[in-house]
Amino acid sequence: MKENYSGKEKYPHLFSPLRIGNIKMKNRIICAPTSPSMIDLNGHFTPEMIAYLEEKAKGGASVVTYGEAIPHSATGKSHNKQLQLDAFGVRQGMTECARAIHNAGSYANIQLSHGGMYGGLASVGGDVDTCQVAYGPSDMTMPAGEVKEMPRELIFEIIESYGKAAKLCKETGFDMVQVHAAHGWLFSQFLSPVWNQRTDEFGGSLENRARFFTMVVDKVREAVGKDFPIEARISGDDLTDKGLGLEDCIKVAKMIDDKVDLINVSCGNHEDPDMFCRTHPSAFYKRGVNVYLAAAIKKEVKTPVACVGSLNDPAQMEEIIATGQADAVELGRASLADPYLPNKALCGQADDITPCLRCYECFGATGELEMVKCAVNPIMGQQLADKTQDKKAKHKKKVLVAGGGPAGMEAAITLAQRGHNVTLMEKQEKLGGNLHPAGAAYFKEDILKLIKVLENRTKAAGVNILLNKEVTPEVVKEFDPDALVVAIGSEELVPPIKGIDKENVIMAIDAELHPEKLGKKVVIMGGGLVGAEGAVGFEHEGKECTIIEMKSTIAEEVNSFYRGGLMPEVERSAKCLVNTKVIEITDDGVICQNKKEKFLVAADSVVCALGFKSPYTKVDNLADLVDESYIIGDCNKVGKIYEAISGAYYTALRI
């Protein structure tokens, strides 16, 4: 029986083959280079890292790329834990990785990278065990320390190391290599007219500044042979006054046009906080924001061109290929949120693709936990354990899930898929819970897409859904479940502030869902994530916002990567008063107190965004009625989408 490949008709260009050297890609989808920290202290692949890459291959991408493998670890190791291609014993893990990707149906690609000066400076990815000296194109002083000019003999040593590394990759079974010359790393530093002040053959003109890069590409070609595919990642625009603009990036692309088989066009600088959220676009940018750079370079070169830019929608990918903007699309975070995106698109199931929320949980985990995780994919980073997980329930049970937010839906889906008889009761008229206010702002549409995906999966799994039905102790007794999952969410905190009950006060959830209730001047009490994002959304609706926060920092609890994109928007959207307390709400606004004085902030509306609390009394009154009960989501502990979905999934696997 033939498979249903209806996606080939809907996305004919996306699912057309593409020949790159001696490989024939089955579609135009490449899993972009990613390098979560699941590398051991010897610089080798771990089984967890291999399983992570293997799942992407299972998902149907034509090529799966491991990112930032270091050919010269004595000078180029920019992160605490990176694959070191010159480490003793590295071959075994590389061979196992290439085999796993092949066995799952994809070609294996590997990115060759060097941190340049960030090999010896603290960087976004590395704060310990960096190299002894920070070598860059020229002597200079950076905020993180002193940079020494890279000696010519070291340049030639590194060129040789790239050849050895590429040969190693080919010998261990990889089908492609990518030379990384973007994002502010080594070759990007040499290309910079600001950082590169050399007077030898590697400095001065653009041709000279590009010489290191082009010599490395030539050495890699010499090492792998004529038909072995080489990909180059370059910038289309560094978007900073230290780097290259589009015109010069086109010239660089032309320099390698007859040397490589694929040109991957990115932009920005990984180490520049202002650029990080453009290199890896935040939710404040449109999907595909960087594709125009690939399109501009494609017009000027013969070599196939791949684009990046937080692409998530197969229809948009199809349009990019069909209109000649690029020959292939590379997916980073989208392939973490849903590694099976290519297969779902191919089989006509695009509506079931889990959307990436661009929340940077993945980046945050790489630094904080030395592994990877995803807000919407509970298996991400735990693929190795998942491979041996018995998903079918040993005993079919009658399960009642109380609450239809993200935790309740994820639990119900997983329980039903495992074979249980599941009923989900939700007191509101629709599923989604607090995802609805969380997704209300103009830049949070992916959360609304997540609601739809989870709702559709809940129905498809055969869950009995009862809306407008609150789970009370009486309902539990009458239903008499074998197991009860309590997922009733959290309640907004209402502080004992004088005037909190006035008509000009509106709770954050109500304000997010109904910004039309707000007057022109809005004071937001609370500068956590809810208050900060609320201000951005309300300003978009034409409001004048002021945030009052007792702490010294707005959105303090947010991971640094998301915060980097959020805070410029907050500062543009609202006046932020930190180290300030609201002591009374009046008809005219709020009376505040800081260390110096007491003062009035005028407001037509006051939004209370002071956090949430778990309703433990309600939870206990339900859970205590059933011998087998489980508490998940915000009613267990107030948290983020990650905690809700991951906790729900793994709880459901235990029932």
Side-chain angles (χ1 to χ4, degrees):
M1 181 177 173
K2 286 189 175 181
E3 293 279 357
N4 169 24
Y5 291 148
S6 59
K8 280 196 171 184
E9 295 179 10
K10 192 171 184 180
Y11 316 114
H13 297 85
L14 185 62
F15 287 103
S16 62
L18 176 67
R19 179 160 288 285
I20 301 286
N22 63 9
I23 71 172
K24 186 176 183 180
M25 294 167 50
K26 61 188 176 185
N27 58 47
R28 305 301 182 96
I29 302 172
I30 298 172
C31 286
T34 55
S35 51
S37 297
M38 296 180 288
I39 300 293
D40 72 17
L41 297 181
N42 294 312
H44 299 172
F45 277 126
T46 61
E48 290 82 3
M49 186 78 246
I50 294 170
Y52 159 86
L53 295 166
E54 178 187 25
E55 190 185 29
K56 292 186 178 188
K58 288 178 180 177
S62 59
V63 177
V64 174
T65 314
Y66 175 75
E68 295 181 340
I70 307 300
H72 196 271
S73 53
T75 59
K77 187 167 164 280
S78 56
H79 296 8
N80 295 344
K81 290 161 65 183
Q82 286 183 298
L83 184 70
Q84 298 171 50
L85 299 176
D86 53 359
F88 177 75
V90 76
R91 285 177 177 264
Q92 178 185 338
M94 292 178 66
T95 303
E96 290 174 353
C97 180
R99 286 178 178 176
I101 292 171
H102 291 159
N103 294 346
S106 297
Y107 290 113
N109 189 13
I110 189 164
Q111 182 187 68
L112 310 180
S113 183
H114 187 294
M117 70 175 90
Y118 296 108
L121 300 177
S123 69
V124 168
D127 56 359
V128 297
D129 195 28
T130 49
C131 308
Q132 292 184 343
V133 180
Y135 286 113
S138 304
D139 289 335
M140 55 186 159
T141 301
M142 295 292 286
E146 294 297 315
V147 177
K148 296 296 182 185
E149 179 173 295
M150 185 176 284
R152 286 183 77 256
E153 58 269 24
L154 181 55
I155 289 176
F156 287 101
E157 182 180 318
I158 290 171
I159 291 170
E160 289 296 318
S161 77
Y162 268 82
K164 292 175 184 176
K167 183 171 181 285
L168 169 69
C169 294
K170 182 179 180 181
E171 289 174 349
T172 53
F174 283 84
D175 306 285
M176 294 175 63
V177 293
Q178 182 194 95
V179 180
H180 195 353
H183 298 180
W185 302 125
L186 176 65
F187 303 125
S188 186
Q189 293 163 25
F190 266 75
L191 285 165
S192 166
V194 175
W195 284 339
N196 188 341
Q197 296 296 313
R198 301 176 74 97
T199 56
D200 60 8
E201 72 267 42
F202 298 103
S205 67
L206 179 61
E207 289 73 18
N208 281 359
R209 301 198 310 272
R211 191 182 304 278
F212 194 177
F213 172 42
T214 58
M215 288 180 71
V216 159
V217 171
D218 288 339
K219 179 58 68 172
V220 169
R221 175 59 72 202
E222 178 187 321
V224 298
K226 181 167 71 88
D227 295 324
F228 190 87
I230 299 174
E231 179 183 12
R233 168 168 272 188
I234 66 171
S235 282
D237 191 333
D238 286 327
L239 300 171
T240 72
D241 55 7
K242 298 182 181 68
L244 303 183
L246 176 57
E247 187 177 323
D248 280 336
C249 289
I250 289 172
K251 292 177 182 176
V252 173
K254 288 181 175 180
M255 292 178 197
I256 58 170
D257 196 12
D258 59 349
K259 298 176 183 288
V260 300
D261 303 281
L262 183 66
I263 298 174
N264 172 220
V265 181
S266 186
C267 72
N269 187 318
H270 187 276
E271 295 300 311
D272 185 333
D274 293 332
M275 275 296 103
F276 186 93
C277 292
R278 176 63 187 271
T279 303
H280 315 279
S282 74
F284 299 102
Y285 291 104
K286 66 178 183 178
R287 295 281 183 183
V289 62
N290 297 329
V291 173
Y292 77 98
L293 298 169
I297 285 177
K298 180 168 168 53
K299 291 177 182 177
E300 305 290 339
V301 297
K302 304 182 297 292
T303 305
V305 170
C307 64
V308 294
S310 71
L311 298 169
N312 201 66
D313 178 7
Q316 184 182 17
M317 300 174 204
E318 169 66 18
E319 182 186 5
I320 289 167
I321 309 295
T323 56
Q325 297 175 71
D327 299 286
V329 294
E330 303 216 7
L331 311 183
R333 287 168 290 168
S335 68
L336 275 68
D338 198 332
Y340 297 89
L341 183 157
N343 278 346
K344 288 180 178 179
L346 176 62
C347 297
Q349 300 165 5
D351 289 346
D352 190 49
I353 292 169
T354 309
C356 167
L357 305 184
R358 297 192 281 187
C359 61
Y360 300 95
E361 284 283 356
C362 48
F363 281 104
T366 296
E368 295 167 11
L369 308 176
E370 296 184 352
M371 61 167 294
V372 70
K373 67 181 184 182
C374 175
V376 294
N377 180 358
I379 298 170
M380 183 49 53
Q382 301 187 68
Q383 284 92 341
L384 189 63
D386 187 72
K387 288 170 71 172
T388 58
Q389 179 74 48
D390 184 5
K391 299 290 176 69
K392 285 296 175 185
K394 292 179 180 177
H395 306 287
K396 185 174 180 177
K397 294 180 179 179
K398 177 184 173 185
V399 185
L400 174 61
V401 178
M409 284 192 284
E410 182 66 33
I413 293 162
T414 307
L415 287 163
Q417 289 175 342
R418 296 187 63 227
H420 292 300
N421 182 354
V422 185
T423 296
L424 184 154
M425 296 185 186
E426 164 57 46
K427 69 178 181 179
Q428 302 295 336
E429 62 184 4
K430 57 187 176 182
L431 299 175
N434 277 349
L435 290 181
H436 287 286
Y442 73 96
F443 58 94
K444 303 302 283 289
E445 63 178 347
D446 290 309
I447 290 182
L448 300 183
K449 291 179 182 177
L450 176 64
I451 297 172
K452 196 65 181 171
V453 167
L454 291 175
E455 183 180 359
N456 288 343
R457 286 181 190 164
T458 305
K459 293 173 181 175
V463 175
N464 180 28
I465 302 169
L466 300 177
L467 300 175
N468 298 304
K469 179 77 172 177
E470 183 173 3
V471 177
T472 63
E474 292 72 28
V475 168
V476 174
K477 291 175 186 175
E478 181 183 349
F479 191 87
D480 191 25
D482 298 320
L484 172 68
V485 178
V486 184
I488 59 174
S490 56
E491 298 173 346
E492 289 180 282
L493 283 170
V494 183
I497 297 174
K498 186 177 180 181
I500 193 72
D501 55 352
K502 285 186 170 291
E503 289 186 4
N504 60 342
V505 178
I506 183 168
M507 299 305 293
I509 288 177
D510 194 17
E512 288 173 322
L513 292 172
H514 302 286
E516 71 277 2
K517 292 183 178 181
L518 300 173
K520 180 68 174 176
K521 290 187 177 180
V522 178
V523 161
I524 301 168
M525 298 190 300
L529 180 61
V530 173
E533 289 187 334
V536 178
F538 300 151
E539 191 275 339
H540 187 73
E541 298 289 332
K543 313 300 181 184
E544 297 174 8
C545 300
T546 302
I547 297 174
I548 313 292
E549 171 55 49
M550 291 176 62
K551 296 179 182 178
S552 59
T553 306
I554 300 292
E556 182 183 54
E557 78 277 22
V558 180
N559 75 65
S560 61
F561 300 97
Y562 183 69
R563 196 171 181 276
L566 173 65
M567 286 312 298
E569 298 297 322
V570 173
E571 289 160 2
R572 178 190 61 76
S573 302
K575 181 179 181 182
C576 298
L577 303 179
V578 296
N579 298 312
T580 302
K581 183 179 180 180
V582 174
I583 58 176
E584 183 179 351
I585 301 167
T586 71
D587 293 335
D588 299 319
V590 294
I591 299 174
C592 299
Q593 176 81 58
N594 60 23
K595 289 182 179 179
K596 295 181 179 178
E597 59 182 340
K598 192 182 291 186
F599 56 95
L600 173 74
V601 178
D604 303 311
S605 300
V606 179
V607 175
C608 183
L610 293 169
F612 296 82
K613 63 179 180 179
S614 303
Y616 292 131
T617 300
K618 287 183 181 179
V619 169
D620 294 346
N621 287 342
L622 297 175
D624 291 347
L625 295 173
V626 181
D627 289 338
E628 187 178 350
S629 62
Y630 305 86
I631 306 165
I632 60 174
D634 277 0
C635 70
N636 177 46
K637 183 180 179 182
V638 176
K640 295 177 287 187
I641 293 173
Y642 167 77
E643 284 84 13
I645 289 183
S646 182
Y649 176 76
Y650 288 102
T651 296
L653 289 183
R654 302 202 308 269
I655 298 175

